[in-house]
Amino acid sequence: MNVITQKFVDFIKEEEGLTTVEYAIAGSLVAAAVILAFTDLGCEVGEVIQALADTLDTGAAAAQADACA
């Protein structure tokens, strides 16, 4: 058998490429789940993050006022 033909057959039979495809599919599914979760919970998550930011901002302002007094 021709060397080039043998290399091509070996390349086709190689299974390492399947692992890459499996990781790509798994990554796509995870990304889709994250997008779906943020789409469904977007407003609620935004409100919680804003509440945390407001609390931290108020706490930082109070701490700064105490330090200056």
Side-chain angles (χ1 to χ4, degrees):
M1 194 179 258
N2 185 336
V3 174
I4 295 174
T5 307
Q6 183 60 41
K7 292 286 186 184
F8 183 73
V9 169
D10 291 343
F11 177 75
I12 296 297
K13 288 183 179 180
E14 188 175 327
E15 293 185 10
E16 288 182 24
L18 293 177
T19 304
T20 304
V21 172
E22 291 167 355
Y23 280 121
I25 291 171
S28 300
L29 291 174
V30 169
V34 168
I35 290 170
L36 180 65
F38 277 109
T39 301
D40 288 347
L41 300 173
C43 292
E44 289 86 1
V45 171
E47 290 171 3
V48 169
I49 291 173
Q50 187 60 48
L52 289 171
D54 292 343
T55 301
L56 290 174
D57 189 39
T58 303
Q64 188 176 23
D66 289 343
C68 295

